[in-house]
Amino acid sequence: MSRLQRLALFDLDNTLVDRVSGFRLWALEFCRTHGLEPAEAEWMVEADGDGLVPKETFFAQVRERFSLADSVEELWARYRRRHSALIPACRGALAGLAQLRHAGWKVGLVTNGFADVQLRTIISSGVAEHVDGWAISEAEGVRKPERQLFEIAAERCGMTLAAGGWMVGDSRVADIGGGQAAGLRTAWIDRGRLWPDEVGKPDHIVADAAEAVALILAQLPA
Ligand SMILES: [Mg+2]
């Protein structure tokens, strides 16, 4: 195997931070403050579609289901301020990043999302202290899987994509497809899912970021 430079890029949501848990905490809090049954939090988790349902759509549904007087914009604004503060780092993820950097790796973050939300998540979860740089799609005007966002993250780490590296994430298209197109080796966090076919298979399929870190370190000993 040719020797790769020590650059490891990571996705944020459900890779380094447990967005699902944070969303559930937010939904439970929302139910409490609006006098709703706690069970409605699970309906909200479903309706959120793993964060992929547009928030205008989501909050329009929430407003209608619970007959709320607040506008979609007000509900969304409060959510933007609060949700990110409730998202914890994934178990073992921060320790893994620390291990990588200790072994001389540069660690970067490549994430699709709103600049204010992602930045708050990066800081409040503790991820900020464990990475060398990040690229957030809204702030840069380009989204994964486009190569440019990976390139920006690499540059923020003082590197380029030319000498390769790794991309770790849970999205098949944005993280794995994008990482491959950017010339990176890839590790897919399966979250209990199966890779659907032989096409575009990642180099590795792992349970979480900590396992990806162990693999990366094992393949390129310090
Ligand atoms: Mg993700």
Side-chain angles (χ1 to χ4, degrees), residues 24 30 94 106 118 128 167 181 188 202-203:
R24 186 169 278 114
F30 186 92
L94 300 187
K106 294 289 183 190
Q118 300 308 79
M167 174 64 198
W188 183 55
D203 294 295

Side-chain angles (χ1 to χ4, degrees), residues 95-106:
L97 298 185
Q99 232 184 323
L100 272 175
R101 292 173 90 198
H102 185 72
W105 286 70
K106 294 289 183 190

